[in-house]
Amino acid sequence: MPQRTWLWVPILLLVGVSLTFGMKGLYTVKPDGTGDFTSVSAAAEAIEADGVDSTIVVDVYTGVYNGGIEVDYCTTGVYTVTFQEATGEEVTITDPNYAVYLFRTNNWRFIGMNTQAYYGHYFYYSDSNYVEDAVCTGGYYGSRNYYSNGNEFVGCDFRGSGYGFYNYRSSGTKLTNCFISGGSSYALYDYYCNANIYQNNIWRASTYAWYFYAYYSPYLPAVSNYNCFYTGN
């Protein structure tokens, strides 16, 4: 009988182990190169490319960052992605188009960063995002919400040369403790919106426009109180 030779091949069996890839934890943006990234756009591109594995916080240090945050189709699941001014820092994002642009991207947060762009923030089919303590100047739109639901803006200063805040077919928008100023157009423009909440805001309109324009918004707003309206400088 011929002699048999047995070849033993080790097999690695993974039971109940989930292999996940993506970014998580704390990152820093410093223009001098001592952080994880040198620009907010580079940090956003990395998150978009690598994905979100858990909660992400990006601390941004003092600087004027040329180039906005633009993110498409970034799924975060139950996690959030936060870009925020590091404690004691002063941050401005400039761009000829968008300082912050999200397309089909949810659960992102932007805290304490000023913008100078044609659009301060543009949320396009993007829900449940949050902006706090931002001064948005230098463009036609202070901020624009387009087919986006449940976005919240707290303590912001929206000053558009056209519109202060432009809300289009978006529901559940919440503006609280904001200053909203329109130039050639309205301080707030709502088109086919409903169930929005506006509280404790100051609205400024130019002498040739309205503070607040609502078109086909039958349930707008759900709450509107303690607001102050004025015309002038």
Side-chain angles (χ1 to χ4, degrees):
M1 173 180 294
Q3 184 176 6
R4 296 179 179 178
T5 302
W6 296 92
L7 177 64
W8 295 93
V9 179
I11 298 175
L12 178 63
L13 180 63
L14 298 178
V15 179
V17 176
S18 175
L19 298 178
T20 58
F21 302 92
M23 295 175 63
K24 60 183 178 181
L26 177 65
Y27 299 88
T28 58
V29 175
K30 297 182 179 180
D32 64 2
T34 60
D36 299 296
F37 304 96
T38 58
S39 69
V40 292
S41 57
E45 289 167 5
I47 295 170
E48 180 182 28
D50 295 345
V52 178
D53 188 34
S54 187
T55 298
I56 295 173
V57 175
V58 181
D59 277 346
V60 186
Y61 284 73
T62 294
V64 176
Y65 294 90
N66 299 313
I69 296 171
E70 297 190 32
V71 181
D72 296 344
Y73 292 101
C74 186
T75 302
T76 63
V78 299
Y79 304 113
T80 59
V81 176
T82 301
F83 277 73
Q84 63 184 18
E85 275 184 347
T87 302
E89 304 295 310
E90 294 288 339
V91 174
T92 299
I93 302 172
T94 67
D95 193 90
N97 297 312
Y98 312 100
V100 175
Y101 175 83
L102 301 184
F103 179 70
R104 295 196 181 278
T105 296
N106 306 331
N107 299 323
W108 283 53
R109 299 164 57 85
F110 305 94
I111 300 174
M113 298 183 298
N114 301 330
T115 69
Q116 294 178 358
Y118 189 81
Y119 297 94
H121 302 87
Y122 193 156
F123 297 149
Y124 188 15
Y125 286 104
S126 296
D127 304 334
S128 302
N129 298 296
Y130 180 85
V131 181
E132 181 180 335
D133 196 25
V135 178
C136 304
T137 60
Y140 194 72
Y141 298 90
S143 191
R144 183 169 182 171
N145 223 23
Y146 195 80
Y147 284 99
S148 299
N149 303 314
N151 292 324
E152 184 173 0
F153 304 83
V154 178
C156 296
D157 188 339
F158 298 118
R159 299 173 186 252
S161 62
Y163 299 90
F165 192 92
Y166 190 100
N167 217 19
Y168 186 91
R169 290 187 179 271
S170 300
S171 300
T173 303
K174 186 173 182 179
L175 295 171
T176 308
N177 298 327
C178 294
F179 180 92
I180 302 149
S181 174
S184 60
S185 279
Y186 312 103
L188 174 69
Y189 180 85
D190 276 285
Y191 186 87
Y192 278 95
C193 299
N194 63 78
N196 298 328
I197 298 174
Y198 305 128
Q199 291 181 304
N200 302 322
N201 301 295
I202 297 175
W203 312 83
R204 176 193 174 274
S206 67
T207 54
Y208 14 28
W210 298 347
Y211 311 103
F212 190 127
Y213 180 86
Y215 181 83
Y216 262 93
S217 301
Y219 304 108
L220 167 74
V223 176
S224 178
N225 53 21
Y226 304 108
N227 293 288
C228 175
F229 301 86
Y230 79 98
T231 301
N233 297 321

